[in-house]
């Protein structure tokens, strides 16, 4: 027996669908508070020292947190090649904007304190704001578009094709439902960043972050609820016309897909997935209460639970669809027809089983070493060695 045949391909496909979700959630839980702190920076710090305190709460960890973003992109490229091809070609300009914003963050960190000029530092503070707020918003907008279906079709040679001009395709992403999803994403990461600052900073930075994070959490809760109602009543879902072939070739055109009905039918077919939105609502609500009560560690943990629930609810609701097509439903990408080969998925799983525990162990060790608050004395006494 060939080694990779020990695990059936349909099981490997589900495993890699779940691992992709884990990587995206890991990115949101770790780099999410980095983006949240960046977006909060101009508002939680009124003086240069206060802003440096906020920056240095994430300064030692933001680079390591971005590993999850790189791993997620790598997993899409290696495990789901059609998804990589279709999404990166259709969302090209949006991804360019995200990457440009993310580039501002390391540049801002490195150059902000190189000069004593207040205008120089204020400029970089707003660059850090863009580096946090823009990706948080656009990631949510992308999810909103995925839920509605993306206007592409596949040729007979599986070449993805999009209609419209280069800029028109980008502007088409900014539809009302997608913008609402963007609000959910931005507000929950603002809340997450505030929860991090409440743990890692002292007053007055902590106090301002707590107040803003409370409002952001309420907005996240309300917008998530509104998005759920809109998804149930105003967005068509996707389903297979006939039973899906789970162990067939990686060719989406072999499937017959119907657009219509509601995504919420998934909760009737798999009632247990209701746990995801419950986690989302409960986590956000408890994080808001924790911010108001001044709790620190538990607030951050509740915030993580809320984010996990929100992201999980999207994947579980859509399963087995990954990227549906609004233009040609038969071109929709699903778990069953968009993966790499059986052997590739198996080899990647072995590598993941080896290296993922090492990444988790190292990450846990780093956070343990860096435990504690960033104080004004830490910044002023080490002015030339910290951000």
């Amino acid at each position: 027996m060939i080694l990779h045949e020990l695990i059936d391909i349909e099981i490997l496909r589900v495993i890699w669908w779940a691992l992709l979700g884990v990587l995206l959630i890991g990115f949101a839980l770790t780099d999410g508070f980095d983006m949240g702190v960046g977006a909060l920076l101009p508002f939680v710090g009124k003086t240069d020292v206060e802003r440096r305190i906020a920056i240095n709460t994430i300064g030692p960890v933001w680079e390591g947190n971005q590993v999850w973003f790189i791993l997620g992109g790598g997993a899409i490229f290696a495990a789901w090649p059609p998804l990589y091809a279709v999404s990166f070609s259709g969302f090209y300009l949006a991804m360019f904007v995200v990457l440009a914003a993310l580039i501002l963050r390391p540049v801002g960190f490195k150059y902000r304190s190189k000069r004593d000029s207040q205008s120089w530092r204020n400029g970089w503070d707003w660059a850090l704001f863009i580096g946090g707020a823009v990706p948080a918003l656009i990631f949510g907008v992308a999810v909103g578009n995925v839920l509605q279906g993306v206007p592409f079709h596949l040729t007979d040679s599986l070449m993805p094709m999009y209609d419209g001009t280069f800029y028109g395709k980008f502007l088409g992403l900014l539809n009302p439902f997608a913008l609402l999803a963007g609000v959910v994403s931005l507000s929950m990461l603002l809340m997450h960043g505030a929860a991090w600052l409440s743990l890692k900073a002292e007053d007055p930075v902590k106090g301002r972050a707590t107040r803003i994070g409370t409002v952001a959490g309420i907005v996240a809760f309300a917008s998530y609820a509104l998005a759920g109602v809109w998804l149930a009543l105003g967005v068509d879902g996707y389903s297979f016309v006939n039973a899906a072939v789970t162990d067939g070739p990686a060719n989406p055109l072999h499937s017959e897909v119907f657009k219509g009905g509601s995504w919420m039918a998934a909760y009737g077919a798999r009632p247990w997935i209701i746990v995801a939105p419950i986690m989302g609502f409960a986590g956000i609500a408890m994080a808001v209460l924790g911010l108001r009560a001044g709790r620190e560690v538990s607030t951050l943990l509740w915030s993580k639970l809320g984010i996990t629930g929100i992201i999980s609810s999207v994947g579980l609701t859509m399963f087995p669809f990954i990227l549906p097509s609004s233009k040609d439903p038969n071109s929709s990408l699903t778990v069953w027809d968009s993966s790499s080969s059986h052997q590739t998925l198996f080899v990647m799983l072995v590598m993941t089983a080896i290296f993922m525990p090492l990444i988790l162990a190292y990450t846990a060790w780093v956070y343990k070493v860096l435990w504690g608050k960033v104080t004004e004395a830490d910044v002023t006494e080490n002015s030339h060695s910290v951000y």
Side-chain angles (χ1 to χ4, degrees), residues 89-95 97 138 141-142 145 148 150-151 162-179:
S89 59
F91 297 152
Y92 183 83
L93 186 55
M95 291 185 177
V97 172
I138 292 183
V141 168
N145 279 279
Q148 295 175 98
V150 180
Y162 287 81
D163 294 334
T165 63
F166 182 71
Y167 295 104
K169 287 184 286 187
F170 174 70
L171 295 176
L173 300 176
L174 305 178
N175 56 76
F177 179 78
L179 289 173

Side-chain angles (χ1 to χ4, degrees), residues 189-209:
L189 293 185
L190 286 173
M191 178 194 70
H192 198 41
W196 176 257
L197 285 174
S198 74
L199 174 67
K200 295 290 290 182
E202 298 179 334
D203 285 326
V205 174
K206 174 183 176 179
R208 297 188 190 109

Side-chain angles (χ1 to χ4, degrees), residues 64-243:
N65 291 341
Q66 287 202 136
V67 167
W68 295 97
F69 183 59
I70 298 169
L71 288 175
I76 293 174
F77 175 80
W80 308 100
L83 175 61
Y84 183 89
V86 174
S87 59
F88 275 65
S89 59
F91 297 152
Y92 183 83
L93 186 55
M95 291 185 177
F96 179 84
V97 172
V98 168
L99 291 175
L102 289 176
I103 289 171
L104 287 176
R105 183 165 57 184
V107 177
F109 283 152
K110 300 299 182 183
Y111 283 93
R112 181 193 181 277
S113 299
K114 295 296 185 182
R115 294 175 58 184
D116 291 331
S117 168
Q118 190 61 45
S119 60
W120 170 270
R121 295 187 174 186
N122 286 340
W124 285 115
D125 289 340
W126 284 105
L128 291 171
F129 165 81
I130 293 172
V134 170
L137 177 66
I138 292 183
F139 286 142
V141 168
V143 171
N145 279 279
V146 169
L147 284 165
Q148 295 175 98
V150 180
F152 73 93
H153 71 276
L154 298 175
T155 66
D156 292 338
S157 59
L158 301 184
M159 176 76 71
M161 302 295 293
Y162 287 81
D163 294 334
T165 63
F166 182 71
Y167 295 104
K169 287 184 286 187
F170 174 70
L171 295 176
L173 300 176
L174 305 178
N175 56 76
F177 179 78
L179 289 173
L180 176 61
V183 171
V184 175
S185 176
L186 177 60
S187 57
M188 77 176 185
L189 293 185
L190 286 173
M191 178 194 70
H192 198 41
W196 176 257
L197 285 174
S198 74
L199 174 67
K200 295 290 290 182
E202 298 179 334
D203 285 326
V205 174
K206 174 183 176 179
R208 297 188 190 109
T210 297
R211 290 190 292 272
I212 299 173
T214 300
V215 174
I218 294 171
V219 172
F221 189 98
S223 57
Y224 181 51
L226 178 58
V229 173
W230 194 335
L231 186 68
L233 303 178
V235 177
D236 288 334
Y238 291 77
S239 58
F240 287 101
V241 174
N242 301 308

